[in-house]
Amino acid sequence: MAQPSNPFASFGAWPWMGQTQPFAPIFKMPWQSDWMGDWARAVQSLQQGDAPNPLPPAMPVLRFAPEKLRELQDEYMKEATALWNRSLQAPPEIKDRRFKGEAWKQNPVAAWTAALYLLNARTLMALADAAEGDAKSKARLRFATEQWIAAAAPSNFLAFNAEAQQKALQTQGQSLAQGLANMVRDIQQGHMSMTDESQFEVGRNVATTEGAVVFENELFQLLEYKPLTEKVHEKPLLIVPPCINKFYILDLQPDNSFVRYAVAQGNRTFVVSWRNADESLAQKTWDDYIEQAVITAIEQVRDITGAEQINALGFCVGGTLLTTALAVLTARHAKAKGRKSAFPVASVTLLTTLVDFGDTGVLDVFIDEPSVQFRELQMGKGGLLKGKELASTFSFLRPNDLVWNYVVGNYLKGETPPPFDLLYWNSDSTNLPGPFYAWYLRNTYLENNLVKPGKLTVCGEKVDLRKLHVPFYVYGSREDHIVPIGGAYASAQALPGERRFVMGASGHIAGVINPPQANKRNYWLREDGQLPADVDQWLEGATEHPGSWWPDWSAWLAAHAGKQVPAPASYGRKPIEPAPGRYVKVKA
C-alpha cells in the first residue's frame, strides 16, 4: 500500500515556524545549556566501564498507521478549506485567549494567521496522539510537540502579533524600547520577570509572621513563631517545607499565610528554613539531609519545648524527606530495647507529597536510566544543581502561562507584570547539592524504592514504611501537575494505620495556599475513611465541601496535639536573629 503524502508540508511555510525559542539566552529547557561537553564525557565514561549500565544504542521507534495518517490528512484539508472560505467573508472567530484582543479581530490577516496556527496545532497534537509505540515514548513525543506548538505561536513574534504592533504605533515605539530594556534587565538578573520584583522583600512584606531563629547548622535554620493565642497545644508543630523552594510559600502575607493560620489555631509552630546550597554543601547527600536536618529538627523542637512528642508536617519534597526520616526513627526506636519512651512524632501531615512514585505525571518524561546515569556522573559525587535549571523545568511544564505569556507582555509589549507574591516566590530559586539530587532521582522517580520494604538503607537503617504506626493526614490537589492526584492517593495507600485523605481543588500551590477567609475553591473527603483501589473509586464515595480544607486539617491536628497549656512568654531558646532569618534571603 502506498504511503499517503505528507499533509503537513505547509507547516514549514510559515515564517514563525523557523524559530522556536527567540529568547534562548534567557529560556533554556533542562536538556539545553552547556551540557554537550558533560554529556560527551558521560558517554565516554560509560563506554570505558565507569558505570554499570551502558546507554541504549538507539532511540525508541515510533510508527504511524497509514490509515490514521490519511484520516488526519483528510480532516486537515477539510478544515483548512473551510477556514479559507470563511476568511473570504469575515475574520475567523477565535476563542484562544492569546488572540482575543481587538487588534487581532481588526486585522484580518492576523486573525487568519492565528486561526491557521491553531488548526496546525490541533493537527500536530492529533499526529502525536496517533503515534504507535511504548507509553513513555508517546508521552515524550506529546510533551515535545506541546513545547514546540507553544513556542511557535504567532503571538510570540513581533512580526505577527497584532496587539504588540498596535501598541508600538500608539506609543511611537516606546513600548518596543521598554521591551528591550526589560529583556536586558532579565538577562542581567538571570531569569525572566513574572512579577514586579521591586515590590517585594523577604522579611518586609513577605515572610512576615513574627518569630525568631532558635537553632541553625550548615543545612537549615529552625524558626520558632510567637504565639497568637493565650494557650497552645502541648505538642508543638514542626513544618518541613521542600528544599527545592524557599519556605515562605507557606508564609507569604498575613491574609494567606499557612504558618500564621497554624499559629492562630493554638499550635506552637516551628519551621525548617533550608540553606540555599553553595559550593560548601556540594558534597551533601540524601542521608545528610535526613540526619542533619529533618531528624535534627525533630530533636531540637522536642528539646526546646520539653515535649515528649511533636506533630510534623511535610510539604512536597519536604514530605518525602519527613517520611524517610520517620522510617529511620522507627527502625531506631525498635532497636532501643528497654526504653519506654514514646515515638517522637505523634502525627504526620503530608501536603502534595509523593511517597509512592508510581505516578509522577508529566515529570516522568525527563526520567530514564540514561538521564539518571548522566546526572550521577555529572554531580553524583559532588557539585550543584542550579536553581535556575529547576525553575526552568517547572516553568516549561506550563509554557503558555509561565513562559510565553511573559515573553509577549514583557518584551513585545514593554509591560511590567503586576506585583504578585506567589510569582515573586516562584522566581526566588534555590540550588541543590548534586549527590542529594542524584540519589533522589534514582531512588524515587526512577526506581520507586521508598515503597519497597527494606530496599533502601538510609542513615544506616532499612527503610520500611509498613512500620510507620502514626496517624497521617494526606492532602492532594486535583489539578496538580507536579504531584498528580493519583500519585498523592497512591502515597496515602502506601502508608499503614490511621489515614485521612483529602483532595482539594486547583493545583500544586493554589490548592495548598487556600485560606478560609478567601472563601474559594472546595475540597472532598470520605467520612467512612475508606481507601479503595484508586482515586476515582475513592471520589465516588467522597463528599464535596465548599471553601478551604484548612479548618478540617486544624480540627484533625487538634485531636492529636494534646491538652492546651499556657503559651510561653518567650522563645524556648535565646534567639539567634529575628525570623525569617538570613538563610532564606540568600539568592541562588
Side-chain angles (χ1 to χ4, degrees), residues 380-494:
K381 295 182 179 179
L384 293 176
L385 178 72
K386 298 296 185 179
K388 294 176 185 177
E389 189 176 326
L390 278 173
S392 176
T393 299
F394 289 121
S395 291
F396 275 96
L397 296 180
R398 295 169 54 197
N400 285 326
D401 294 332
L402 296 179
V403 179
W404 300 108
N405 174 52
Y406 297 102
V407 169
V408 173
N410 295 3
Y411 310 146
L412 301 190
K413 298 181 180 179
E415 299 171 345
T416 299
F420 187 14
D421 52 6
L422 193 152
L423 290 178
Y424 174 79
W425 165 85
N426 191 62
S427 299
D428 196 0
S429 58
T430 55
N431 303 324
L432 286 179
F436 169 96
Y437 180 65
W439 189 99
Y440 178 56
L441 283 183
R442 174 167 293 282
N443 289 289
T444 60
Y445 280 93
L446 182 64
E447 298 182 1
N448 197 18
N449 287 331
L450 276 178
V451 293
K452 300 174 182 176
K455 174 69 174 179
L456 292 177
T457 299
V458 177
C459 301
E461 305 292 347
K462 293 290 185 180
V463 173
D464 189 348
L465 301 185
R466 299 174 304 175
K467 298 178 180 179
L468 294 179
H469 298 299
V470 292
F472 278 89
Y473 186 103
V474 182
Y475 168 86
S477 290
R478 184 178 57 182
E479 290 94 26
D480 197 333
H481 62 293
I482 295 175
V483 178
I485 187 61
Y489 184 76
S491 296
Q493 290 182 309

Side-chain angles (χ1 to χ4, degrees), residues 44-174:
Q44 181 181 14
S45 179
L46 288 168
Q47 291 172 341
Q48 292 173 348
D50 294 341
N53 298 309
L55 296 173
M59 295 294 289
V61 176
L62 291 169
R63 296 181 176 85
F64 299 85
E67 59 273 16
K68 186 62 177 179
L69 289 178
R70 187 176 294 106
E71 177 185 335
L72 290 174
Q73 179 180 8
D74 292 344
E75 183 66 22
Y76 177 81
M77 295 305 299
K78 179 181 177 181
E79 291 193 38
T81 302
L83 174 62
W84 174 258
N85 291 336
R86 288 196 305 270
S87 299
L88 294 176
Q89 301 172 5
E93 182 179 354
I94 301 174
K95 296 182 179 180
D96 191 296
R97 64 184 179 87
R98 292 171 291 180
F99 313 110
K100 291 196 70 172
E102 286 299 318
W104 290 94
K105 298 177 182 178
Q106 296 170 5
N107 187 328
V109 174
W112 185 79
T113 299
L116 183 59
Y117 157 77
L118 292 172
L119 171 58
N120 289 348
R122 290 194 302 271
T123 308
L124 276 176
M125 288 309 305
L127 183 62
D129 290 338
E132 298 175 350
D134 65 276
K136 186 152 193 166
S137 296
K138 290 186 65 175
R140 283 178 162 171
L141 175 63
R142 183 178 178 84
F143 179 80
T145 304
E146 289 173 340
Q147 296 297 321
W148 192 87
I149 288 171
S155 53
N156 297 339
F157 301 88
L158 183 61
F160 299 97
N161 191 314
E163 288 183 299
Q165 294 169 3
Q166 184 182 73
K167 187 168 185 179
L169 292 173
Q170 291 173 343
T171 62
Q172 298 182 333
Q174 286 300 312

Side-chain angles (χ1 to χ4, degrees), residues 356-378:
D356 184 334
F357 284 73
D359 177 8
T360 57
V362 68
L363 289 176
D364 185 61
V365 303
F366 298 104
I367 307 297
D368 58 15
E369 182 64 38
S371 67
V372 173
Q373 284 190 15
F374 166 58
R375 286 303 200 181
E376 290 170 338
L377 288 163
Q378 182 191 37

Side-chain angles (χ1 to χ4, degrees), residues 62 204 250 322 425 515:
L62 291 169
R204 179 175 64 84
L250 298 172
L322 175 60
W425 165 85

Side-chain angles (χ1 to χ4, degrees), residues 312-314 347-353 470-476 492 495 498-503 523-525 548-557 560:
L313 180 151
S347 77
V348 182
T349 301
L350 299 179
L351 307 181
T352 59
T353 291
V470 292
F472 278 89
Y473 186 103
V474 182
Y475 168 86
L495 301 167
E498 176 191 333
R499 290 156 294 173
R500 185 173 182 84
F501 182 77
V502 177
M503 182 177 76
Y523 65 97
W524 293 258
L525 56 82
S548 171
W549 57 271
W550 290 13
D552 178 77
W553 167 77
S554 180
W556 178 90
L557 184 66
H560 300 282

